[in-house]
Amino acid sequence: MLLPFFEWLESSAMGTALAQSIWSFAVIEAVHLVGLCLLGGALLVVDMRLLGTGLRKSPISELGTQAHPWLVGATILMLATGVLLWISEPIKLYYNDSFWWKVRALPFALIFTYTIRRRVVRVATEANTRTRLVGIVSLALWFTVAAAGRWIGFS
């Protein structure tokens, strides 16, 4: 059902330009990986605190406030470069199961991060059962997104 759209995307001016460029994929991928590092850092510092480990002297809400701009910036960077990577090889991705795992997991991770996790982080000072559960779910969702994304290159 989506194959005609993926075919159109590949034959679009942007798809053709990205596919024919010698350096575009490598540069976009490198920037995507920088975004992954920023996103991972912003998530991990808070999620580990939600679990009750790491930076125990800092209140969770304070860490969340400090990490939030990095999280938002990294999310924007990752989404922008991810779309460009998708446009550069849509037909290959259409037939890649790892791509579809990532595409399914990403909305859940984004919605959870910017709704439930954000609300819990705003009010939490110390780790408890609720914060630990939120930290585990956050890490599981983002690990799924990252692992599926990484596996795209191997399948």
Side-chain angles (χ1 to χ4, degrees), residues 9 18 28 32 77-88:
L9 196 58
L18 289 172
I28 296 166
H32 195 67
L77 183 62
M78 292 288 293
L79 290 172
T81 56
V83 167
L84 291 174
L85 290 171
W86 170 47
I87 292 170
S88 73

Side-chain angles (χ1 to χ4, degrees), residues 80-128:
T81 56
V83 167
L84 291 174
L85 290 171
W86 170 47
I87 292 170
S88 73
E89 51 185 14
I91 298 300
K92 176 186 171 190
L93 293 175
Y94 180 82
Y95 291 106
N96 188 309
D97 290 335
S98 297
F99 170 76
W100 291 109
W101 275 101
K102 181 174 183 168
V103 166
R104 287 183 195 112
L106 183 59
F108 289 105
L110 289 169
I111 290 166
F112 182 81
T113 298
Y114 287 100
T115 59
I116 296 167
R117 181 183 177 274
R118 186 172 183 194
R119 279 185 235 141
V120 169
V121 167
R122 277 187 190 168
V123 299
T125 54
E126 289 301 319
N128 56 46

